[in-house]
């Protein structure tokens, strides 16, 4: 069993930055793909970014390219999302997810591909 716990959300002004963390416990996740999703009020859950087990294959949704960076520290069992140049439309609950496919490298954007989820952290971008 894997538990995922996000942290780092908050209120930030447009143009500001936040760094989200997602710490895994229960077992090592160094050989599994991880991803970040977000869900704004009244909208469906949306793929944000994914990273394969080694960190060598990364995928972003178009709207965050050049602004967000996903990374992982396998020694700390943690995945990160550095968010820069934040916009009001980035406001959402951000959740990390793990795909139960050891050494999986093909990027997956569908929530159904991921079997473990954190509880989410709120990110609000507002002046």
């Amino acid at each position: 069993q894997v538990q995922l716990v996000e942290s780092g959300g908050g209120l930030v002004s447009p143009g500001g930055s936040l760094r989200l963390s997602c710490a895994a416990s229960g077992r090592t996740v160094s050989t599994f793909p991880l991803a970040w999703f977000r869900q704004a009020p009244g909208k469906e859950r949306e793929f944000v970014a994914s990273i394969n087990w080694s960190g060598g294959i990364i995928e972003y949704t178009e709207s965050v390219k050049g602004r967000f960076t996903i990374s992982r520290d396998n020694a700390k069992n943690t995945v990160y999302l550095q968010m820069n140049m934040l916009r009001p439309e980035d406001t959402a609950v951000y959740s990390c997810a793990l795909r139960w496919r050891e050494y999986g490298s093909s990027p997956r954007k569908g929530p159904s591909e991921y079997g473990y989820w954190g509880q989410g952290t709120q990110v609000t971008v507002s002046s």
Side-chain angles (χ1 to χ4, degrees), residues 37-40 43-47 93 95 97 109 111 117-118:
F37 288 78
R38 66 186 179 186
Q39 188 167 20
K43 295 188 177 181
E44 292 187 353
R45 182 174 282 171
E46 175 191 24
F47 169 83
V93 174
S95 300
K109 298 182 179 182
W117 293 82

Side-chain angles (χ1 to χ4, degrees), residues 14-30:
S17 298
L18 282 175
R19 188 194 195 204
L20 305 183
S21 300
C22 172
S25 62
R27 64 157 293 157
T28 181
V29 298
S30 62

Side-chain angles (χ1 to χ4, degrees), residues 11 14 26 44 49 58 60-61 68 83 87 90 97 100 122:
L11 173 64
E44 292 187 353
I58 288 173
Y60 297 100
T61 192
F68 290 11
M83 305 186 296
R87 305 167 180 169
D90 294 318
W100 193 251
Q122 176 70 46

Side-chain angles (χ1 to χ4, degrees), residues 1-77:
Q1 193 75 346
V2 176
Q3 294 81 42
L4 302 172
V5 179
E6 302 93 339
S7 61
L11 173 64
V12 63
S13 299
S17 298
L18 282 175
R19 188 194 195 204
L20 305 183
S21 300
C22 172
S25 62
R27 64 157 293 157
T28 181
V29 298
S30 62
T31 57
F32 294 91
L34 293 160
W36 287 95
F37 288 78
R38 66 186 179 186
Q39 188 167 20
K43 295 188 177 181
E44 292 187 353
R45 182 174 282 171
E46 175 191 24
F47 169 83
V48 176
S50 65
I51 186 167
N52 78 321
W53 66 276
S54 68
I57 298 176
I58 288 173
E59 184 82 8
Y60 297 100
T61 192
E62 193 65 32
S63 63
V64 309
K65 286 181 180 178
R67 301 189 297 123
F68 290 11
T69 302
I70 188 172
S71 62
R72 65 190 297 163
D73 185 337
N74 284 338
K76 295 182 178 180
N77 235 21

